[in-house]
Amino acid sequence: MKIFVVHGYQASPGEHWFPWLKSRFTTAQDSVTVLKLPTPNEPTESGWTAELHHSIGRPTHDTVIVAHSLGCIATLRYLASLKPGWSLRGLILVAGFAEPIASLPLLDPFTADNGFVDEMVITRCTVIRSDNDTVVDPAASARLAARLQATLITVPGGGHFGSTDGYQRFPEMQQELSELLSTKH
């Protein structure tokens, strides 16, 4: 299994729960790649989509993508840009959104023209949100889950699932990813 982790705005591969996830899930059978997206403090939709194409290529039934915050809509844009016929073992979106965030207008190009989200068919998709996220409104994550017909998991008190919220480890992610990896296709 190839697991790709897509970080969010102002983040990097060495932050939050990403190193833990890599150490926890890298095995002889499974590889974990935490992507390093360009200009995380001034992200561009085209730059991030290009990097996802370069790093992930064309996903297959042995591909799992885990994305956080801005990485969620960036991942969805990347998947929507692929030619038909791709597949995924699963997609896990953490604190995801597909609509503008009033406090972060720099990110609006990622959420513009987002009708493609309603047309996406991802067999196994989970959205994890908290009930007290001050960066991404929990209702925005719930709306994203509804649009994708995804499973929605709400974590009480999880904040934005960053290091400052105490997320060096992520037990809810561990459970979801473990179940996904054990599912036979």
Side-chain angles (χ1 to χ4, degrees), residues 19-132:
W20 164 83
L21 187 137
K22 182 173 178 130
S23 69
R24 173 69 183 83
F25 285 95
T26 298
T27 65
Q29 301 82 22
D30 303 321
S31 67
V32 178
T33 303
V34 184
L35 303 182
K36 181 170 177 40
L37 297 166
T39 62
N41 293 331
E42 294 181 17
T44 64
E45 184 273 324
S46 61
W48 281 30
T49 300
E51 183 58 36
L52 292 173
H53 277 282
H54 173 75
S55 297
I56 301 172
R58 187 169 181 80
T60 69
H61 67 280
D62 285 331
T63 305
V64 174
I65 300 175
V66 176
H68 179 239
S69 195
L70 182 61
C72 297
I73 188 66
T75 297
L76 293 172
R77 282 200 171 279
Y78 147 74
L79 292 171
S81 73
L82 294 168
K83 291 183 175 141
W86 58 270
S87 64
L88 279 178
R89 168 65 65 101
L91 177 63
I92 302 173
L93 304 174
V94 178
F97 59 95
E99 57 197 62
I101 296 178
S103 62
L104 295 169
L106 171 72
L107 309 183
D108 286 354
F110 285 86
T111 59
D113 302 321
N114 65 27
F116 68 90
V117 173
D118 300 308
E119 299 167 11
M120 298 197 79
V121 177
I122 300 168
T123 305
R124 179 87 188 253
C125 184
T126 301
V127 174
I128 301 175
R129 69 170 183 171
S130 77
D131 59 0
N132 69 335

